[in-house]
Amino acid sequence: MRIDVIDTEAGFEAVREDWDRVYMDDPHAQHFLSWIWLKSYLFHRKRWFILALREREDRSPYVAFFPLRVTTQHDKKTGVFFDEIIMAGNFSADYTGFIAQPDYEHHATAGFAAYLKRQNWTHLKLEYFSGPPERREALVRALQGPEVMFRDSSPRNPENIDNCICPVVTLPPSFDDYLEQKMSSQTRQKLRRFLRKVEGDDDYRITMATPETIDRDLDILFELWRTKWIGRKGKERTERLIGATRQLLMDSFKDGNLDVPVMWYGDRPLGALANIIDRQKKSILFYITGRDETWKTPSPGLILHGYCIRRAITDGFKTYDFLRGNEPYKYMFGPDERRISCTLFRTRSGRNLGDVIHPRSIRFVYDQALQMYRDGAKAFAEAAFRQLLETVPSHMGAEFGLASLMFEKGKLHEAEAGFTALIGRIDDPNPVYLRLGDTQLALGSYDEAARTFGRIIERSPYDAQAHYKQGVALAAAGRQPEAARVFAMVEQYNYDNPLQRKFAEKSREALRRIVSETEQAAAAPVAASKGQKTSRRNQTGRASAKFERGAAELVPA
């Protein structure tokens, strides 16, 4: 057996034929594990990857797929980043897990678990994992061990709804059979009466979304949903959920896999549903609803679900799936219960397996470290740079960031060593030379600093900042004539960049000071006494000291 990793759009596109075959062969596969749904969902997200199992090392067809994602969290107590591997559809998919051809399920479980045990993670979350219990139990046996523990959970929302229970209606051949077999006599009579009323009264109607009305119909659905839930969920969370759900539903609509029925009384919308259509498995998945809470009868929810169930039976669908949650109203439609599971694996150390960052998280952690640096969270930034270097010892960005932090902390020799180690390894060494020169200035190594800034000028002859800083180093070393020549070079050039203009002006000001001091020294009577010579040396020393104090301006922001 062989496991490949698919993590590009092109790679995912290439396996559609195998994926569709495995999806149809797996009796436990659900729509949120279909190729068509995952394509739209994954392509909006980052750091996803799919484990794909082949029977042999050659180009034989794939027989199992496990879609996953990596997320990264920051522990503010320790400053350490840690990784989580989660199910690819988490936060939107009611069902997650893997798909496999029945003859290869055992191999898939063993192979996927072996791969995951070699990854760097602190948490592995099998949330809302669907499929037979044996799949989950086999993964638990394979993944737990001396380094990893696990626990199960049954998530409940504030209304005490168990989200690991999924009511699903198995649809009989006819709607009359459905009413007789699945509904109580009271609900059956009510639904028949309501449907007759809606379909026989011109004031009522049910519309189905079209490309021309989909935006309007989703606006209606979400406005009704918002009215009910904003008080419990809060405005920010409500709007975030609406934004994410709208994108998901629009993706399904564009794929031809979404129904949005709206019930009206005149021009007043009374309720709306969003049903995802799994054409491969012949299942309707009820995803979200909104209804006018002030309208009592006839019940928009009962009518819309009854209408959609009748339509699904007519179109040959096999199941009407109410998805996660055992809300009482779902049971009036005669469902059976399907159970899913939530299992959290956690390392006993509280750190990633292997004690390094997951390879898919390196760029993310680096970006976070840079942002921490910019925001002034220097201790967190330092911890992140060090964690990156534990993972990738040659990470030049982390080396540069850490050396910069050492400079700011006054650990100048560490900073100098860090910047020096980067020379010759980086494509554009000028930023490194700049920081190295600043460090040498702060150390009082003025001649070395002058040479370092000179290397920038060799590569970028018009760099006003490098000219100014080299002039500072030369003046601090008591080499005023050379400093004056360097400052004067800037007079030859024009600068559009505001930063370069600033250093050009600083160079002109420094040149004026040197010229002024030289003229004052030349105007003074020439004296041969020792005291006069000492005075001249002291005057030069004071001029150099001014430039040494000016080095404080060079600390990077």
Side-chain angles (χ1 to χ4, degrees):
M1 307 299 287
R2 168 194 171 96
I3 289 182
D4 293 330
V5 178
I6 300 166
D7 57 6
T8 66
E9 294 183 15
F12 188 72
E13 296 273 5
V15 300
R16 178 168 191 176
E17 183 177 347
D18 282 358
W19 196 295
D20 285 344
R21 173 178 44 76
V22 175
Y23 181 76
M24 292 304 297
D25 288 347
D26 186 341
H28 308 288
Q30 305 293 336
H31 182 69
F32 299 107
L33 290 170
S34 68
W35 187 94
I36 190 68
W37 188 85
L38 283 167
K39 175 181 180 293
S40 296
Y41 187 75
L42 292 180
F43 289 9
H44 291 305
R45 282 153 183 84
K46 298 178 181 178
R47 290 193 287 161
W48 57 267
F49 64 103
I50 295 163
L51 305 184
L53 182 72
R54 294 185 191 275
E55 182 180 5
R56 298 183 299 274
E57 291 287 333
D58 59 13
R59 301 297 296 174
S60 58
Y62 290 113
V63 295
F65 296 96
F66 197 176
L68 301 161
R69 280 195 290 144
V70 176
T71 64
T72 306
Q73 310 298 329
H74 183 236
D75 187 334
K76 290 183 171 54
K77 292 182 179 179
T78 64
V80 170
F81 284 91
F82 63 91
D83 292 300
E84 298 179 335
I85 294 182
I86 65 174
M87 304 295 95
N90 273 171
F91 312 119
S92 293
D94 278 52
Y95 304 129
T96 68
F98 66 80
I99 59 173
Q101 288 187 292
D103 291 345
Y104 294 95
E105 182 164 329
H106 173 74
H107 296 291
T109 304
F112 293 153
Y115 181 92
L116 290 170
K117 288 175 74 172
R118 296 192 300 270
Q119 297 297 290
N120 311 114
W121 49 266
T122 298
H123 297 139
L124 170 62
K125 296 180 176 180
L126 305 184
E127 291 184 325
Y128 304 115
F129 191 85
S130 66
E134 293 78 16
R135 282 188 187 177
R136 177 250 172 212
E137 292 165 5
L139 282 172
V140 168
R141 287 195 300 271
L143 288 167
Q144 66 176 321
E147 295 182 281
V148 175
M149 54 187 176
F150 78 97
R151 64 175 173 83
D152 291 328
S153 64
S154 183
R156 293 176 180 267
N157 63 19
E159 288 74 39
N160 201 33
I161 300 302
D162 189 336
N163 281 307
C164 283
I165 296 177
C166 309
V168 181
V169 179
T170 301
L171 300 177
S174 73
F175 188 58
D176 285 339
D177 289 342
Y178 165 75
L179 293 175
E180 293 295 328
Q181 297 171 12
K182 301 293 183 179
M183 283 191 157
S184 69
S185 59
Q186 182 178 0
T187 306
R188 178 170 62 246
Q189 292 170 9
K190 184 186 293 186
L191 178 58
R192 279 177 167 154
R193 185 172 70 252
F194 284 172
L195 284 174
R196 284 197 300 269
K197 182 175 182 63
V198 168
E199 293 171 344
D201 188 330
D202 290 342
D203 288 333
Y204 292 97
R205 71 186 193 278
I206 295 174
T207 61
M208 302 296 290
T210 67
E212 291 73 31
T213 68
I214 183 62
D215 288 330
R216 178 205 67 183
D217 294 346
L218 288 180
D219 285 343
I220 291 169
L221 188 157
F222 287 123
E223 183 56 35
L224 295 171
W225 188 89
R226 179 187 288 112
T227 300
K228 177 175 181 178
W229 292 106
I230 193 168
R232 302 184 212 183
K233 299 180 184 294
K235 182 177 180 181
E236 183 178 349
R237 185 179 176 216
T238 297
E239 297 308 319
R240 186 172 65 250
L241 288 170
I242 287 175
T245 304
R246 189 181 192 109
Q247 182 183 68
L248 183 152
L249 295 179
M250 281 302 300
D251 286 340
S252 290
F253 186 79
K254 291 172 184 175
D255 291 333
N257 294 327
L258 184 74
D259 279 342
V260 183
V262 181
M263 179 179 168
W264 304 78
Y265 181 73
D267 293 331
R268 176 181 176 180
L270 303 179
L273 303 181
N275 286 340
I276 297 174
I277 307 167
D278 184 346
R279 301 186 188 280
Q280 292 171 291
K281 292 286 187 174
K282 294 294 182 182
S283 182
I284 303 294
L285 291 78
F286 161 57
Y287 198 79
I288 189 172
T289 185
R291 66 184 180 87
D292 186 338
E293 298 290 326
T294 66
W295 183 274
K296 300 304 179 184
T297 187
S299 166
L302 177 61
I303 292 171
L304 285 170
H305 281 300
Y307 178 86
C308 291
I309 288 172
R310 185 178 67 183
R311 194 164 180 261
I313 292 171
T314 300
D315 291 341
F317 283 82
K318 298 178 180 179
T319 57
Y320 192 88
D321 192 336
F322 282 92
L323 300 180
R324 290 197 314 245
N326 61 343
E327 291 90 343
Y329 78 87
K330 295 178 180 179
Y331 288 87
M332 72 173 66
F333 297 97
D336 299 314
E337 290 185 345
R338 176 189 294 147
R339 287 192 170 268
I340 55 179
S341 62
C342 290
T343 305
L344 171 65
F345 295 88
R346 181 180 182 277
T347 61
R348 297 181 188 275
S349 67
R351 294 174 65 93
N352 278 4
L353 292 174
D355 213 26
V356 295
I357 299 167
H358 193 283
R360 296 180 185 277
S361 303
I362 290 169
R363 181 72 214 189
F364 175 85
V365 173
Y366 179 60
D367 289 342
Q368 292 294 301
L370 292 178
Q371 191 59 51
M372 289 169 174
Y373 182 92
R374 296 186 194 105
D375 292 343
K378 301 297 177 68
F380 282 156
E382 180 179 342
F385 287 137
R386 292 191 185 279
Q387 194 177 3
L388 283 164
L389 290 171
E390 289 171 3
T391 304
V392 186
S394 61
H395 194 293
M396 290 186 289
E399 287 184 68
F400 185 77
L402 186 60
S404 297
L405 283 168
M406 292 303 99
F407 174 58
E408 294 181 20
K409 292 175 72 172
K411 296 184 177 182
L412 300 177
H413 291 291
E414 290 183 42
E416 183 180 32
F419 291 131
T420 301
L422 284 166
I423 301 299
R425 294 166 49 208
I426 194 166
D427 292 338
D428 179 10
N430 279 4
V432 181
Y433 278 131
L434 193 63
R435 292 293 179 92
L436 177 60
D438 290 346
T439 307
Q440 291 165 338
L441 270 176
L443 282 167
S445 304
Y446 303 124
D447 291 320
E448 291 182 24
R451 285 193 291 272
T452 298
F453 293 125
R455 293 189 178 98
I456 299 175
I457 296 168
E458 289 172 6
R459 296 173 54 85
S460 304
Y462 311 114
D463 192 316
Q465 183 175 192
H467 279 96
Y468 172 71
K469 291 188 175 185
Q470 186 184 47
V472 168
L474 290 168
R479 296 159 63 181
Q480 265 69 14
E482 294 174 75
R485 285 196 294 272
V486 171
F487 290 137
M489 288 290 293
V490 176
E491 295 289 344
Q492 304 176 42
Y493 313 126
N494 293 318
Y495 295 99
D496 295 327
N497 182 286
L499 178 68
Q500 295 293 337
R501 277 204 307 271
K502 181 183 80 170
F503 281 103
E505 183 53 41
K506 289 165 76 76
S507 295
R508 295 184 188 103
E509 177 58 32
L511 179 60
R512 283 194 290 270
R513 291 205 307 269
I514 288 179
V515 170
S516 175
E517 290 168 1
T518 301
E519 289 175 348
Q520 290 175 21
V526 178
S529 69
K530 180 178 180 181
Q532 288 174 316
K533 290 180 181 177
T534 301
S535 177
R536 179 72 56 81
R537 284 197 298 271
N538 289 342
Q539 185 180 24
T540 302
R542 285 194 299 272
S544 298
K546 289 181 182 178
F547 284 96
E548 290 184 47
R549 290 193 297 272
E553 300 176 9
L554 307 179
V555 176

